[in-house]
Amino acid sequence: MYILAIFGILAFAGVAILVSQSLKPKTARAWLIALVATTLAWVAMLFLRLYLPTNLTILSWEAGELFNSKLTLTLDYHNWPYAISLLTICMAAIFTDTTQTNNPSAPLRWVGSITIALINLVGLLAGDPLTLAIAWALVDIIELLYMINLQLNFENNQVVATSFAIRLLSLFALLLATAVGWHDQPGFSLHAIPSNANWVFLLAVSLRLGILPLKLPFLNADELRQGMAVLLRFAPAASALALLTHLSSIPQTLPPVWLLTLRVVTALAMLYSALMFATRPEKFASRPYWLVALSSFAVQCALQGNPLASRAWGLALLLSGALLYLFDPPIRRIRFLPLVGIVGLVGLPYTLTASGWEGLIGAGFSFRSFIFIFSHALLLIGYLRYALESNIAITALEKHARITFPTGLVLILQTILILNITGWPGVLTLGLWVAPVISLLLVCLSVFAFFKLGLKVPFTNLEQRLPFYRIAHAVLTGIQSFFSLDWVYTAGSFLGKQIGKVTNLVTELVEGEGGILWSLVFLIALTTLFIAGVKLP
Amino acid sequence: MISLPLIWIAFPLITGVLLIPFAKNRRLSVSVVSIISLLLTILAIVLPKEMAFVIFGHRYEFNPVFFLLGRMLSINHNAAVIIALLYLVNFSWNLISTRFKVSQYFGSLSLITTALWVTVLAIEPFLYAAVIVAIITLISIPLLSPRGEANRPGLFRYLILQLLATSLILLSGWMLAGIVSAPSASPLIFRATVMVLLGFILWLGVFPLNSWLSMLSDESHHWVVGMLLSMRQIALIIYFLHFLDRFAWLRNLPNIFKDMQLIGLVIIAFGGIAAASQKSIRRLFGFFFLIETGYTLLSIGLAAHGGLNQVAMSFIPRLISYWLWAFTVASLSDQGNLKLGYLNELSGLFYRAPFLASGLFFSLLNLLGVPLFAFFPVRRLVWAGVAGSQTSWLIFLVIGIASMIVHALNLLRIFIQPESETRPATPEAPSQKFFIGLGILLLIVVGIFPHFFLPYWTGILAPFTNLFNAFP
């Protein structure tokens, strides 16, 4: 019932803000309501750590033998760290949004943040595929309506449509996975996913996280740089990451060739995204690559047969990422805050991501291990770079914002520390300490090289300073155009058009003058195939 | 003793005929039809099993049988659910029909059509129903092609194919007389099967004989097409189940159910691809109808996996979608937003007319089976059935669904396209917003609480005891 109380608090706050704003608009009151509600929800969620696992049936679709399904919520060590992180980001978004309070739409954004946190929380806590599918659909539709409401320009609107279509694909992949799983075990819960459905669930997760297709449609409109937008991007990933922790038998069920292919593809996606993350011209352009890179780390853990280790990378994605991207405006005086946030990513012994290395490297070092370490080092370099590039000396911030803005960031740091201690049994571990040490050494070498070359943040004159810049730039552009998979989309689009042409030709034939005769010809051809018993797969 | 066929067939039939002279007063005609349809729906829902009401101490009993020209019309308690559904369709389409520029005979002819569809399901020997279906086809012509409008090829094709189907079914009936005493391997059985199946393929517009569907929905008013095709689909599916229930030789044919699954899946895949490559929004309804027929055949084919219940539970989610789609397309056409019917004419619709755009889009998502919407609880059972029956055939479903997603993507891209030249906002009347909002709300409420709304309709299957016994 405590879970429902959390939902109730958040829902009540959303409605209360809307009502109070429609009666007598006052930004301060709306902010206070949002803040109190999210804080209460956060504390309640922290309290629930003492009662894990907790199950709750929210609706029972029972009508004789027709449906016999239940919509359930489950809170356990798989999803509790993600749930507390999601509420933290929501709270931090509301805190940091105080830099925008002069904007009359600010209270609506807070309602939006609370709503996004609420519905994503349902998906995150889903105990069965049915609840998860409904939550994902709800999230996608609300996000779509919000995006449409922003009335973006032509290009961004096309991206909105494409990203919704990819979300729909991930949703149907989830439904396909459920259908396949039901074949073995009807009405299964996420804790007991049948092994034959594991790979289809992985497909759904990969689509949702943007690993497939690698080029995640991502908006960079100015409207999407505020706190709510960060939540909008990170929250859906949370429920997919929570689902990933349940996919424990992928190495046992996938044929070795497929498994190897997936591992290689994910490793390449990881390396490419990390490289792109570190080399973007500005922080917000790096956001999709951050998501894909760390999601690839998490998926790699599942492919290695240790999905529980994916939590570490998933939490780094959410918390360290939120810390970096909520740091807007990037005020020079407090740039140490996102810098401290690197503790959630670095993976040194007894830090939050220490346990994540076991999921990646596991049995022993191999060539792939070096790709992981190198990608990790690139992420660290990029993170350091964006944090250090903060050079705005804002003096016009209102007094309250001077306190609330850094407080929001501190809240994230505090959650990283809390999860570092209480996230799940065994979180405080030495881990495979060699890997992060190598990664850090690579980072130090890079920093040293940068100093040696006389480079300083922000990197504005790389062309003159970097040796072989033009060659490196050309290589990077080539890699980018290959991995952006534009050629695949072009080929797919060409194929789709050809299929459409054939379909239209058939339609024109059967609707033309001799249409009925053509229809009969098709009918006879199909009937012959049936009668002849042509074998289908 | 009041005869039930008189209540649900003769009374609406006579009322419909009497309303024809008052056709010019559309408000009167539509109001009378709506009230009668609603009352007949309610009566069908509340009809007790013992077929008798006790009101103020008086017992009113109903006679389930009525004889006419040596033929029997039989309506018992088991048939009440399907009758309720048919009159519900008529009510929901008539209630707001005065908004649209449809034939002045819409009210009266729709009531007559509904009564005749009830006759199709009530007449004994039931093969005579084929003649009634032919009459319905003829009656629908004035609605599909109102006076003063040029007749187009789709209408002729509809007429030809429907009447051809009738003759095939009647011909099969003639052959059936010999089947009773024939051995199971008789060639008569094969011929009768071909006749029956071909008849239904033509009636329901199954691929590849589906051309009339898209042509008709392109040429005629969407509100009329929506109503006529919705009723046709419901009644003919039930009529097909009658065949399967009555004729053991038909349902015992080797692989008949497996083949139906495969045919259904092929139709879903083809319909999806065809819908995705469409440029005309008016023609889309025909392809949706085709896909839904595919899902129905698939569900019947999955009878051993509970598919028959899925057939019955699909009717309401499908009807809501059809209604919403027909309402929005008809509104756009009548308001002059669809001059040629091309999708491109709807660019920026989400900004110009958000309710109309949402109506179209959510209706599509429902047909797609997206969770949260009414169709999802049933669709997922069908998908699971396919996975349980023949996992490799899921590829057809994947093709069909992926194509529909591509179509949804196209539609969305057009709807949210900022326009180069500023077009005036399409006015949306408050009542329009209300009805679209109601439709969307219904889709979501049924989708979240399917156990309240859908199981009732499985009562439609009560008469098919033989069919159920074949799949315990």
Side-chain angles (χ1 to χ4, degrees), chain A residues 501-512:
Chain A
K501 276 182 186 171
V502 172
T503 315
N504 284 334
L505 180 72
V506 173
T507 311
E508 275 174 30
L509 272 180
V510 295
E511 289 184 10

Side-chain angles (χ1 to χ4, degrees), chain B residues 1 6-7 13 24 31 54 82 114 138 143 150 162 182 185 196 208 225 230 250 273 326 331 333 338 373 376 388 438:
Chain B
M1 289 259 277
L6 284 181
I7 294 175
L13 209 58
K24 285 203 170 152
S31 306
V54 179
I82 185 70
T114 314
L138 294 173
L143 291 179
Q162 294 301 304
V196 169
V225 171
S230 302
L250 184 61
I273 294 170
S331 301
S333 292
L338 279 177
F373 294 105
F376 169 65
L438 184 71

Side-chain angles (χ1 to χ4, degrees), chain B residues 1-4 7 43 47-48 51-53 60-64:
Chain B
M1 289 259 277
I2 310 161
S3 172
L4 284 178
I7 294 175
L43 183 65
L47 183 77
M51 310 249 276
F53 281 113
Y60 297 94
E61 287 190 13
F62 294 102
N63 180 8

Side-chain angles (χ1 to χ4, degrees), chain B residues 64-192:
Chain B
V65 178
F66 182 79
F67 288 94
L68 182 75
L69 303 170
R71 310 283 161 250
M72 187 174 76
L73 293 169
S74 165
I75 295 178
N76 54 25
H77 178 262
N78 285 341
V81 184
I82 185 70
I83 291 171
L85 188 61
L86 288 170
Y87 278 104
L88 184 67
V89 173
N90 198 43
F91 168 72
S92 54
W93 252 270
N94 265 284
L95 185 67
I96 48 172
S97 65
T98 48
R99 304 180 61 88
F100 302 110
K101 295 169 186 167
V102 293
S103 161
Q104 57 185 352
Y105 299 107
F106 185 85
S108 52
L109 291 186
S110 67
L111 191 61
I112 293 171
T113 309
T114 314
L116 288 175
W117 279 122
V118 175
T119 316
V120 167
L121 303 175
I123 197 162
E124 292 286 348
F126 81 106
L127 279 167
Y128 282 89
V131 180
I132 314 286
V133 177
I135 296 171
I136 293 169
T137 307
L138 294 173
I139 287 176
S140 63
I141 300 297
L143 291 179
L144 291 166
S145 178
R147 199 164 52 180
E149 283 187 21
N151 294 327
R152 284 189 266 179
L155 188 73
F156 288 114
R157 191 165 294 196
Y158 162 70
L159 197 58
I160 293 165
L161 294 179
Q162 294 301 304
L163 295 180
L164 192 64
T166 300
S167 45
L168 285 170
I169 298 285
L170 287 175
L171 212 57
S172 74
W174 173 62
M175 284 183 182
L176 287 173
I179 283 183
V180 180
S181 56
S184 59
S186 164
L188 271 180
I189 289 183
F190 177 72
R191 281 180 215 153

Side-chain angles (χ1 to χ4, degrees), chain B residues 296-374:
Chain B
T296 307
L297 287 177
L298 174 61
S299 302
I300 297 173
L302 289 167
H305 298 263
L308 294 176
N309 286 323
Q310 292 147 26
V311 172
M313 288 192 294
S314 297
F315 287 131
I316 288 294
R318 182 180 299 140
L319 278 175
I320 303 173
S321 250
Y322 281 176
W323 186 91
L324 201 53
W325 185 271
F327 182 89
T328 41
V329 176
S331 301
L332 286 165
S333 292
D334 286 357
Q335 286 174 358
N337 285 296
L338 279 177
K339 289 188 178 70
L340 299 169
Y342 290 131
L343 283 169
N344 284 344
E345 292 174 63
L346 300 177
S347 66
L349 191 70
F350 254 122
Y351 304 120
R352 287 188 284 126
F355 276 82
L356 287 169
S358 304
L360 282 175
F361 194 64
F362 287 132
S363 169
L364 177 66
L365 291 187
N366 180 48
L367 287 174
L368 197 50
V370 170
L372 196 71
F373 294 105

